Amino acid sequence: WPLTATSVAVLGVGNVALDVARILAKSADELLVTEIPANVYEGLAASPVTDVHVFGRRGPAQAKFTPLELRELDHSPNVEVIVHAEGIEFDEASMAAIRADKQISMIVKTLQEWAIRDVGTRPRRLHLHFLEAPVEILGTSSVTGLRTETQELTGDGNVRGTGVFTDWDVQAVYRAVGYLSTHLPDIPFDHVSGTIPHLAGRV
């Protein structure tokens, strides 16, 4: 993909979404310690990106990334991680999940701490937005923005739209919200779950 955007959106709050956001936000030189191919390094080095926005439809207690992946976001000397506090909300189901799951508790604690800290001066910014559901990619021949609808928790961990919309100034959108497998001819297939019939993973 051509990396020409100064501001990009990543849809999803799983580990893949964080990986995509981190690679887009980091400086290319930080990746030289890896086995990054020369052409990939050159592409990332030329990227003009300054802001990466990660959007989650539900709240922080429903995020699907791991505590390690989350904490690693903040290790770059060039990337300021900004948690937008207006999305840090919890309902009854969220509080029950926090009490029942140590991993969720650690994620929520980290996000809450980041949401109240002062924003620093690192040259690139990685924004985490919760309770914002993408509804439309704006633009005709190219991306000129992303429209989201603010969500509210319904008490059971799910969300509903509030009718409040925000247009975000982004020039690229990356989707990282999971996938559904496709059916192969002559192979039994469950079209609801997107899986081949199996017993505990054994076909």
Side-chain angles (χ1 to χ4, degrees), residues 44-178:
L44 289 170
S47 170
V49 70
T50 57
D51 290 85
V52 177
H53 296 268
V54 179
F55 292 96
R57 183 176 61 88
R58 296 195 292 169
Q62 289 80 40
K64 297 300 182 186
F65 39 67
T66 60
L68 178 62
E69 287 282 339
L70 178 63
R71 287 195 299 267
E72 283 182 354
L73 285 183
D74 207 38
H75 291 172
S76 169
N78 298 304
V79 180
E80 199 70 47
V81 180
I82 302 168
V83 176
H84 291 254
E86 57 270 21
I88 305 298
E89 294 185 9
F90 309 96
D91 59 3
E92 293 89 343
S94 300
M95 296 308 297
I98 292 169
R99 289 190 294 268
D101 192 309
K102 185 177 181 181
Q103 182 165 284
I104 294 174
S105 176
M106 292 168 64
I107 290 168
V108 166
K109 183 175 184 291
T110 300
L111 291 170
Q112 287 178 312
E113 290 172 352
W114 290 357
I116 61 174
R117 68 182 179 180
D118 293 333
V119 177
T121 58
R122 299 175 192 178
R124 293 184 176 185
R125 293 166 294 278
L126 197 161
H127 307 262
L128 294 174
H129 305 272
F130 294 93
L131 296 175
E132 291 289 346
V135 294
E136 185 179 356
I137 296 175
L138 307 176
T140 51
S141 59
S142 63
V143 176
T144 60
L146 175 72
R147 179 168 295 155
T148 64
E149 181 182 11
T150 302
Q151 306 292 295
E152 61 183 6
L153 292 160
T154 57
D156 57 359
N158 290 313
V159 293
R160 60 174 168 248
T162 64
V164 176
F165 296 89
T166 304
D167 289 353
W168 304 88
D169 181 18
V170 299
Q171 303 85 49
V173 178
Y174 296 86
R175 180 180 178 274
V177 290

